[in-house]
Amino acid sequence: MICLSLTRETISEALDDVRRNLQWIDLVELRADLLAHLDPQALSSFPAELAKVAATATGERRIGCIFTLRRGIDGGGFEGEEADRLKLIRDVLSGGSSAEADGPASNDARFDYVDLELDLERNEAGQALRRQAQTAGIRVIRSYHDFTGVPGQLESRYEELCRREEEIPKLAAAPRNTAELLRLIELLQNGAGRDRIIVGMGTVGFPTRVLAPVLGGYLSYTSADHDDAVAAAPGHVGPRRLAETYRYRSMSETTAVFGIIGKPVMHSSSPAFHNRHFTEKNLDAVYVPFEVDELDPFFELAELLEIRGLSVTVPHKESVISYLHEVDESVVPVGACNTVLVSKNRRRRGLNTDVTGFMLPLERAIGASGPEAFDGMRATVVGAGGAARAVVFGLLRAGVRLCIVNRTVERAERMGAEIAGALGVERPLAAALDSRSRETIEEYGSLIVQTTSVGMEPNVDEDPLPFYEFRGHEIACDIIYAPETTRFLQRAQAAGCVTISGTQMFEEQGLAQAAYFEHIV
């Protein structure tokens, strides 16, 4: 189920968010701790108001409702005394039914769930709330939050949350690295047999939100994503994105998992691109971004999730090769891998579609293909990281004379020598990425290819080559696609240069990847 957390200051605004998102949600969480005014009667009336909104727009489909009054230590906005908080919860639960002792009220007159923290079971007041909820027919979500990381006593903490069979355990933690994400997903996967909510907050934990249906999670929380919206927790996305981009409602435990690994990775357009392809081909598959710091725990995670295919981006394009069982001929001379395919017997094969992705748009810009299209061309490649290797390989193979400029000249020399040696061609020139190389870049200026992350969102005003003035005859290419027109390309366009955006390269290499992925779902 997709749950929309309501974070507005008034109930009226909260209901407006419900109206905007009704077609993508199954239930809502009223975050009462974020409201400007806490009126017990107004809070108690919220389920009935929600039912009216849902009935108007959805007809027979009912939207469930969670009541949450989160205190500050658990990431909430309630700042009063704990006794006052518990009294307010008690008043709301009482108001949601005709009388506490009379049993459950009608569904539309009460909340379906109440979120109660784990420690409330350790005192009489908290236990009384639990009994009151049960009498009113309201199911308890028993929660524990850790915004600093994944707790060391993770399993024992989860066991505490699971003590009462009728309750739904909810453990929300903020994994700081791939190893901690692995622990959370192991816990979620091993909790089969009962309703459970295990959430990884933040960018590292994002896969837990998308993959809840695959791993048997009870629901995923989302936040409204309009301009005035406030995310209820780190890592929330809008319900439309979860429902449409990731096709959350159509996923199940049999859905094939694909993804992209990198750091950073949440800016990537690959999830939208590949999930759209899966939709068009009617494939039971999902593509998820994984922010990965270390590959050892990630490939443990990949085994656990039975991941079928991966896109690989910076900084892992070179280091991932040592984790492969076999590599395609496109990988060895480039020395970088951007695509991993996993067979049914768990063998990992590496490929590189970046060369094709770079060369096809370049040939279109030139208006010709084949070696003769590059006769006499001299090019500068900015950067010597994993993303540069496919560019250097493609250009050297086409007979282009190269200069590689990089902050560390030795790295540029080493990369150029490796690729040139594999191809049996003259090694490129290497130079420093600073103003001392201005004249060299002018000499190797038929084509200038920017392969670093400088200028990528959110740092869109940065320029990797601020000391170079375009003269108008160059072809300028930037592999960055977010934003589509970087500061580097803006300056080139202003000078009259032909430009190639990273979007074109992304789409070509993505189409090649999609063809591979399609055949292994």
Side-chain angles (χ1 to χ4, degrees):
M1 294 190 292
I2 297 177
C3 176
L4 175 63
S5 293
L6 302 173
T7 61
R8 305 296 291 276
E9 291 188 350
T10 70
I11 286 179
S12 176
E13 291 172 327
L15 291 171
D16 285 341
D17 280 353
V18 174
R19 292 184 183 94
R20 290 188 182 100
N21 293 283
L22 263 175
Q23 68 188 96
W24 303 297
I25 62 176
D26 305 292
L27 68 163
V28 301
E29 177 191 37
L30 180 62
R31 285 292 301 271
D33 53 294
L34 300 178
L35 292 170
H37 303 287
L38 294 174
D39 177 359
Q41 188 55 49
L43 294 173
S44 298
S45 300
F46 179 80
E49 295 301 314
L50 173 66
K52 293 177 186 177
V53 170
T56 300
T58 64
E60 297 297 319
R61 191 165 72 89
R62 184 177 179 278
I63 302 297
C65 188
I66 304 169
F67 180 76
T68 299
L69 189 63
R70 184 84 66 225
R71 58 197 173 189
I73 60 172
D74 294 307
F78 186 84
E79 298 178 349
E81 297 293 330
E82 178 67 353
D84 294 333
R85 186 178 79 100
L86 298 184
K87 181 180 184 304
L88 182 55
I89 297 174
R90 185 168 61 249
D91 291 345
V92 170
L93 297 184
S94 297
S97 59
S98 54
E100 183 178 344
D102 292 340
S106 67
N107 288 345
D108 291 347
R110 62 168 171 80
F111 287 93
D112 299 277
Y113 310 87
V114 60
D115 189 305
L116 300 178
E117 295 83 6
L118 177 60
D119 61 272
L120 292 185
E121 270 294 278
R122 300 168 189 163
N123 59 65
E124 177 54 38
Q127 294 170 13
L129 279 180
R130 182 243 306 156
R131 291 192 295 268
Q132 182 183 354
Q134 290 173 332
T135 300
I138 299 172
R139 195 171 183 189
V140 172
I141 296 174
R142 185 65 64 183
S143 66
Y144 176 82
H145 297 79
D146 190 334
F147 288 84
T148 64
V150 173
Q153 303 299 320
L154 179 65
E155 291 75 15
S156 60
R157 191 75 68 191
Y158 182 67
E159 287 179 8
E160 278 191 87
L161 291 167
C162 293
R163 281 181 180 171
R164 295 191 176 276
E165 193 63 35
E166 71 277 8
E167 296 182 350
I168 302 173
K170 174 193 174 185
L171 191 149
R176 295 162 294 187
N177 51 52
T178 309
E180 290 192 343
L181 174 63
L182 172 62
R183 292 181 62 209
L184 274 183
I185 290 185
E186 283 177 332
L187 186 67
L188 181 53
Q189 193 175 59
N190 292 337
R194 68 173 298 157
D195 295 335
R196 60 202 183 279
I197 305 168
I198 298 176
V199 177
M201 295 182 285
T203 55
V204 176
F206 181 75
T208 64
R209 300 186 184 279
V210 175
L211 296 176
V214 177
L215 298 171
Y218 190 67
L219 59 81
S220 278
Y221 292 92
T222 63
S223 291
D225 55 4
H226 55 77
D227 291 342
D228 298 326
V230 176
H236 274 202
V237 296
R240 179 175 185 174
R241 183 177 170 194
L242 196 60
E244 294 188 352
T245 298
Y246 293 101
R247 298 185 299 156
Y248 184 92
R249 287 201 181 101
S250 67
M251 281 193 283
S252 70
E253 294 181 3
T254 62
T255 298
V257 179
F258 293 77
I260 178 170
I261 59 173
K263 186 177 182 180
V265 76
M266 294 306 292
H267 69 283
S268 174
S269 297
S270 293
F273 181 92
H274 286 288
N275 283 315
R276 183 169 58 248
H277 182 79
F278 291 151
T279 299
E280 291 169 353
K281 297 295 183 177
N282 195 30
L283 300 173
D284 184 17
V286 63
Y287 183 103
V288 184
F290 293 88
E291 183 176 292
V292 172
D293 60 337
E294 295 183 2
L295 290 175
D296 277 348
F298 173 74
F299 279 106
E300 286 188 55
L301 179 61
E303 290 278 343
L304 190 68
L305 295 175
E306 298 183 11
I307 290 176
R308 301 301 313 278
L310 291 167
S311 306
V312 184
T313 188
V314 292
H316 302 306
K317 289 191 175 189
E318 297 167 79
S319 55
V320 76
I321 295 174
S322 63
Y323 292 83
L324 305 176
H325 297 101
E326 58 183 291
V327 294
D328 187 78
E329 61 182 11
S330 62
V331 172
V332 177
V334 179
C337 167
N338 81 319
T339 308
V340 176
L341 308 178
V342 185
S343 66
K344 290 184 178 180
N345 62 355
R346 305 290 182 88
R347 290 186 62 80
R348 296 187 287 267
R349 174 188 170 204
L351 306 97
N352 192 308
T353 65
D354 280 338
V355 178
T356 298
F358 170 69
M359 294 302 291
L360 285 179
L362 179 58
E363 290 173 353
R364 286 198 296 266
I366 294 172
S369 60
E372 64 278 2
F374 301 94
D375 282 348
M377 178 176 282
R378 293 185 172 216
T380 295
V381 176
V382 181
R389 299 186 72 93
V391 172
V392 171
F393 174 82
L395 292 175
L396 286 178
R397 187 175 62 175
V400 178
R401 297 190 65 183
L402 284 188
C403 174
I404 305 170
V405 294
N406 192 57
R407 287 179 300 177
T408 306
V409 177
E410 292 77 11
R411 181 178 175 90
E413 290 175 338
R414 185 168 59 252
M415 182 184 73
E418 288 173 0
I419 297 175
L423 288 170
V425 299
E426 180 183 345
R427 68 172 58 186
L429 181 69
L433 180 52
D434 57 38
S435 59
R436 293 172 295 175
S437 299
R438 183 185 293 110
E439 291 184 2
T440 303
I441 296 173
E442 289 177 355
E443 182 183 352
Y444 287 80
S446 304
L447 168 69
I448 301 178
V449 187
Q450 198 297 104
T451 71
T452 77
S453 61
V454 178
M456 182 185 294
E457 291 179 352
N459 303 313
V460 296
D461 293 325
E462 295 183 354
D463 188 330
L465 219 60
F467 55 86
Y468 181 79
E469 293 185 11
F470 290 96
R471 293 168 291 173
H473 65 78
E474 304 95 336
I475 297 173
C477 175
D478 197 327
I479 70 167
I480 291 172
Y481 58 82
E484 182 170 359
T485 305
T486 60
R487 175 66 180 151
F488 171 82
L489 289 184
Q490 289 172 8
R491 291 198 303 112
Q493 288 174 350
C497 298
V498 173
T499 61
I500 303 171
S501 74
T503 300
Q504 297 174 59
M505 179 178 177
F506 166 78
E507 289 177 348
E508 292 292 351
Q509 64 82 27
L511 285 170
Q513 282 186 339
Y516 286 115
F517 292 163
E518 178 183 340
H519 286 95
I520 60 174
V521 173

